[in-house]
Amino acid sequence: MLLVKIGFVDKNKEKFYITTPLYYVNDVPHIGSAYTTIACDCIARYKRLRGFDVCFLTGTDEHGQKIFKSAKAQNKSPQEHCDFITGEFQKLWKLLNIEYDKFSRTTSTKHTHLVQEFFKRVYDNGDIYEGEYTGLYCEACEDFKSEKELLEGNLCPVHKQRAQDYEEKNYFFALSKYQDKLIQFLSSTPDFIQPEFRKNEVMGWIKEGLKDFPISRRSVSWGIPIPNHSGQTIYVWFDALLGYISGLIDDSNEPTIAEGIKSYWPASIHVIGKDILRFHAVYWPCMLMSASLPLPKKVFGHGFLTKDGEKMGKTTGNVIDPYELINTYSTDAIRFFFMREITFGKDGDYTKENFLNRVNSDLANNLGNLLNRTLNLVNKNFNGEINGDPSKDLLQLKSKFDSTINLYSKHMDNLEIKEALDSLWQLIDSTNKAFNDIAPWKLLKSGDIETTKCCLYETLIILRNISILTYPFIPETSVKIYKQLGYDKLDKYSEWERLGFNSLGKNIKVTVGSPVFPRLENKT
Ligand SMILES: [Zn+2]
């Protein structure tokens, strides 16, 4: 079987624009937002390695009644509150080693300009009209609810709080007009909604009939004013989604839609939690159609996290505090656990036991020990330097190695993050097994230097590739491994080109440092 490595791409041609949701700043960041952002960062790092011209955007959604109330409760102005919480998000992303390119804030001046321009576009297209809304509204969701969607006593199924009667003279967006167009779009773009099983949910909503919805508020002061109409602000979702475009504009440039869409728009993928699927898979494409703007290529709705099998909630105290996890363990351990343990797209559970087991067995034992044993042998017996011939294939892992790289890339391109890591760890397991079977320490004793060298050389080749392939997930550890293997710098934009079962290069001298991933202890 001939395998051709999935290759490096030409960054002049291939752009990749990925977004997290713009996180709502009513409260400090929680583990759910961290999970989404880590996943996006891993995908973005993988694409950069592959050579894509990547833009990774995250940010904050800062308008609406809930934020106004949160600010008031703390005796802050809404803007002070937004600045503070946004700062908390940025701090956490730094601690989690998130390498975003753009941070979009919906209270920025450029965003306000852009939203108002967008409103005018849609208005001029005849899709905004004045009307009167009577119905139910969940303030926590910032969303309108039909009685059918609510639980007994009009409780919101997500927030378990009562949806309020809502009656206002508003501007409406003519969503219903786009029903057929949206169905057409979804059937001609079958992978727009991912994972596949979320599509049925969306098709269900559409079949029930899309209803026009109010996009202005009389009662909400903390929002973007409707152009030329005093006293009303724009509905938070009709505002926030535009942050994916406004966030692309450099502050020195004209804050116009044309400027926003000229470099990276349309998004290659919006990664979101499943709870905001309707806004991204129904409202957003219709809004863009109305404004004659290109639609994003993909919306990926991931699942929710639970702790010890239970839903997390502030009131029950059953939460995972991301800061506590980072302080107790390490950033790479956290990044690794959530990506390795949970099928991306499905719900996933965190228990401390699983966390420690997973991280210790995969990182400290399987990868860490293989690395340490190899480096020690090379260092002690060959003064850190070793030559060899990769074509010998003593370990008989070359074909497994080639198929792993292909499988890994295929999975990453399909956003099957866990499966990509599975394939990588199968290679690590096989390498450990082959290494143990050949037992170079025994060969040394028996004086078979050539076979020993060959075994160590091939193991170093595999480790070198593994350090590159783990870079998107555990960047700090990966770079440490790369250095211990004798290379000065892992080039995060082009290292993919050097993947392969090939020579280690000239004058490469390994160094034995401290273990790159010490075993984690159970701390409480
Ligand atoms: Zn709700």
Side-chain angles (χ1 to χ4, degrees):
M1 184 172 52
L2 180 73
L3 283 158
V4 179
K5 191 179 91 190
I6 295 182
F8 194 67
V9 302
D10 180 355
K11 93 147 116 224
N12 294 319
K13 296 192 195 111
E14 294 258 15
K15 288 183 189 235
F16 183 79
Y17 176 31
I18 181 169
T19 69
T20 72
L22 300 191
Y23 299 112
Y24 207 48
V25 297
N26 60 318
D27 205 350
V28 292
H30 52 76
I31 194 74
S33 321
Y35 174 63
T36 320
T37 311
I38 290 170
C40 288
D41 188 61
C42 294
I43 299 164
R45 283 176 189 264
Y46 160 72
K47 291 286 181 181
R48 281 189 207 109
L49 264 186
R50 284 281 308 278
F52 284 82
D53 175 7
V54 173
C55 181
F56 169 22
L57 177 142
T58 185
T60 41
D61 169 7
E62 306 180 15
H63 288 129
Q65 196 58 10
K66 244 198 307 187
I67 289 167
F68 187 82
K69 281 187 181 171
S70 291
K72 211 169 169 190
Q74 296 164 73
N75 278 323
K76 283 181 179 168
S77 77
Q79 191 63 58
E80 275 170 348
H81 169 79
C82 291
D83 291 348
F84 171 73
I85 302 280
T86 295
E88 291 299 300
F89 274 93
Q90 290 171 338
K91 260 193 244 168
L92 183 60
W93 300 161
K94 198 166 179 198
L95 288 172
L96 284 171
N97 217 343
I98 305 296
E99 242 178 25
Y100 56 83
D101 300 290
K102 303 275 182 191
F103 195 97
S104 185
R105 293 190 61 180
T106 62
T107 52
S108 65
T109 315
K110 63 185 174 190
H111 181 75
T112 302
H113 278 284
L114 199 114
V115 170
Q116 291 183 333
E117 185 191 341
F118 185 84
F119 188 95
K120 277 186 212 139
R121 269 202 195 208
V122 175
Y123 188 90
D124 291 345
N125 196 33
D127 291 336
I128 291 176
Y129 62 90
E130 280 185 274
E132 195 151 341
Y133 182 86
T134 46
L136 294 155
Y137 187 78
C138 171
E139 201 177 83
C141 291
E142 299 272 13
D143 194 14
F144 305 95
K145 302 282 176 183
S146 69
E147 267 174 52
K148 241 168 95 184
E149 289 172 272
L150 296 168
L151 307 174
E152 233 183 81
N154 287 341
L155 293 188
C156 163
V158 183
H159 298 96
K160 305 284 184 307
Q161 73 181 44
R162 242 182 111 85
Q164 302 295 314
D165 285 318
Y166 185 93
E167 205 178 322
E168 243 188 31
K169 258 192 127 151
N170 296 109
Y171 288 98
F172 278 69
F173 173 60
L175 183 71
S176 58
K177 205 175 128 181
Y178 290 91
Q179 167 130 355
D180 292 340
K181 279 186 186 163
L182 185 62
I183 293 172
Q184 229 170 50
F185 167 72
L186 292 176
S187 51
S188 64
T189 324
D191 58 353
F192 177 70
I193 300 163
Q194 296 282 315
E196 187 69 25
F197 59 84
R198 301 226 182 272
K199 206 152 71 179
N200 301 332
E201 200 179 346
V202 175
M203 292 316 283
W205 294 328
I206 301 174
K207 276 189 194 125
E208 275 174 29
L210 297 184
K211 286 197 192 73
D212 299 353
F213 64 95
I215 52 163
S216 67
R217 292 288 185 285
R218 283 176 188 280
S219 49
V220 178
S221 57
W222 185 241
I224 295 177
I226 302 260
N228 309 323
H229 295 268
S230 62
Q232 291 206 48
T233 57
I234 294 177
Y235 170 46
V236 64
W237 277 104
F238 207 78
D239 144 3
L241 290 161
L242 268 303
Y244 296 136
I245 297 177
S246 66
L248 292 170
I249 303 169
D250 285 334
D251 287 331
S252 54
N253 291 343
E254 279 283 303
T256 59
I257 291 173
E259 185 63 37
I261 62 171
K262 86 173 184 200
S263 49
Y264 289 100
W265 190 257
S268 312
I269 180 166
H270 293 310
V271 177
I272 57 166
K274 62 182 178 182
D275 54 328
I276 51 174
L277 186 61
R278 185 207 307 256
F279 303 106
H280 287 79
V282 178
Y283 290 13
W284 185 221
C286 296
M287 286 162 62
L288 290 165
M289 284 185 216
S290 169
S292 305
L293 292 170
L295 309 192
K297 291 178 192 148
K298 199 171 283 190
V299 171
F300 187 98
H302 68 68
F304 281 170
L305 300 179
T306 51
K307 183 172 179 254
D308 307 316
E310 308 272 338
K311 192 175 180 289
M312 282 187 268
K314 257 193 166 175
T315 41
T316 54
N318 183 47
V319 289
I320 306 169
D321 177 0
Y323 293 98
E324 197 186 304
L325 267 193
I326 296 167
N327 289 335
T328 316
Y329 305 109
S330 73
T331 292
D332 275 358
I334 298 161
R335 293 174 61 108
F336 183 75
F337 173 78
F338 286 108
M339 295 302 107
R340 174 87 166 105
E341 191 74 13
I342 298 168
T343 303
F344 195 47
K346 300 235 171 97
D347 292 345
D349 191 42
Y350 168 92
T351 70
K352 195 183 194 177
E353 200 189 344
N354 283 351
F355 175 79
L356 292 173
N357 284 344
R358 175 55 85 187
V359 166
N360 281 335
S361 92
D362 282 4
L363 294 177
N365 296 351
N366 290 8
L367 177 57
N369 283 347
L370 179 67
L371 176 76
N372 264 342
R373 288 194 295 168
T374 313
L375 293 182
N376 276 317
L377 285 169
V378 176
N379 203 45
K380 221 167 113 189
N381 302 287
F382 303 97
N383 198 24
E385 270 176 291
I386 204 168
N387 288 315
D389 175 7
S391 68
K392 284 206 176 128
D393 199 13
L394 173 77
L395 299 177
Q396 295 202 308
L397 285 173
K398 175 139 180 17
S399 93
K400 169 125 189 138
F401 171 90
D402 288 339
S403 62
T404 299
I405 294 187
N406 278 275
L407 213 56
Y408 168 98
S409 343
K410 218 158 59 189
H411 284 312
M412 284 308 284
D413 288 339
N414 291 333
L415 306 170
E416 293 152 353
I417 301 178
K418 180 188 187 299
E419 290 76 1
L421 285 168
D422 285 346
S423 67
L424 209 51
W425 254 262
Q426 278 166 24
L427 176 66
I428 295 172
D429 288 344
S430 303
T431 312
N432 263 313
K433 192 176 177 302
F435 192 85
N436 286 336
D437 289 349
I438 293 174
W441 56 93
K442 282 188 194 158
L443 293 175
L444 270 172
K445 276 190 190 149
S446 68
D448 187 350
I449 303 298
E450 275 318 299
T451 317
T452 307
K453 274 169 105 175
C454 195
C455 170
L456 293 175
Y457 194 76
E458 288 181 16
T459 309
L460 287 176
I461 291 175
I462 293 174
L463 282 167
R464 179 181 161 276
N465 282 278
I466 282 169
S467 74
I468 299 169
L469 295 170
T470 51
Y471 174 76
F473 312 96
I474 45 171
E476 235 174 283
T477 309
S478 144
V479 167
K480 273 192 209 158
I481 297 175
Y482 211 59
K483 282 195 173 149
Q484 295 198 349
L485 291 171
Y487 301 92
D488 6 304
K489 197 175 166 256
L490 191 151
D491 185 337
K492 62 187 178 192
Y493 298 109
S494 68
E495 212 60 50
W496 189 270
E497 281 186 294
R498 285 183 276 283
L499 282 177
F501 203 85
N502 46 28
S503 146
L504 290 171
K506 276 182 192 158
N507 306 324
I508 292 299
K509 188 171 169 140
V510 308
T511 49
V512 181
S514 50
V516 289
F517 211 96
R519 264 188 86 78
L520 300 181
E521 298 303 323
N522 187 353
K523 293 179 209 164
T524 39

